[in-house]
Amino acid sequence: MKILTLKLKPKMIFGIILAVTGVIVVILTFVSNHTAESQSVSAVISASTDEERRNYLATFGWETDAEFEEKSLTIPQSWNQVYTDYNEVQVNQGFDLSDYKGKKVTLYTYTVNNYKDSKQGIVADMLVCDGILIGGDICNTSAENGFLVGFNGE
């Protein structure tokens, strides 16, 4: 029977603890970055029916008229500054139209009845592709008081 002994000095113990701590930090950093990336992908929001679209708007507190407009359009392949700025609004609310360049989408427009002090000309535009909400906005269509914000009103 052989006995193996190891004599550790304080410097060696400190080095081992430091190395183990470094490995743990690297693993935690990798896991947290990987988790953050997967959470940044926006959830799929079904918007194939009028009820689903109205329910989504209602999550932000918007009340809409019974009627709505529906229009088919194609998102351009190449964007000018207006489309780039509009996509920035979309990205800020978790959407990105870049993946839909050149694709046909449906634009649904609802009149919003309860936007702050404005009672007239406020609409919710919703861009839908294959039944999935891909973007949209709340805007004032009047030339005098025009604005465009995300669904949350900011």
Side-chain angles (χ1 to χ4, degrees):
M1 176 154 114
K2 290 186 177 184
I3 297 177
L4 183 64
T5 59
L6 183 62
K7 192 171 190 180
L8 296 176
K9 297 181 180 175
K11 286 183 180 181
M12 179 151 319
I13 293 172
F14 179 73
I16 292 171
I17 292 173
L18 191 61
V20 169
T21 304
V23 169
I24 291 172
V25 168
V26 168
I27 290 171
L28 289 176
T29 302
F30 175 76
V31 169
S32 67
N33 284 343
H34 183 68
T35 304
E37 286 175 14
S38 65
Q39 290 175 349
S40 69
V41 176
S42 64
V44 173
I45 301 166
S46 180
S48 58
T49 67
D50 179 49
E51 181 181 9
E52 289 176 332
R53 293 185 296 273
R54 287 181 192 278
N55 287 342
Y56 182 75
L57 292 172
T59 63
F60 297 98
W62 303 125
E63 297 170 7
T64 58
D65 281 350
E67 300 294 318
F68 66 92
E69 293 180 30
E70 180 179 340
K71 182 173 25 174
S72 182
L73 56 94
T74 302
I75 298 183
Q77 268 305 98
S78 57
W79 290 353
N80 59 17
Q81 191 59 44
V82 173
Y83 272 95
T84 302
D85 292 344
Y86 184 72
N87 196 49
E88 188 174 320
V89 172
Q90 301 313 308
V91 169
N92 288 338
Q93 62 180 350
F95 300 107
D96 188 355
L97 299 177
S98 298
D99 295 336
Y100 298 93
K101 288 181 176 182
K103 291 192 177 183
K104 287 190 177 209
V105 300
T106 305
L107 172 66
Y108 295 95
T109 302
Y110 293 87
T111 300
V112 175
N113 298 321
N114 63 332
Y115 185 85
K116 299 181 183 178
D117 297 329
S118 302
K119 300 289 183 200
Q120 193 171 333
I122 309 299
V123 297
D125 290 323
M126 303 179 83
L127 294 168
V128 178
C129 183
D130 298 327
I132 304 298
L133 183 66
I134 62 166
D137 59 79
I138 304 294
C139 66
N140 185 332
T141 57
S142 72
E144 294 176 3
N145 302 317
F147 64 83
L148 186 141
V149 294
F151 289 122
N152 64 1
E154 296 177 10

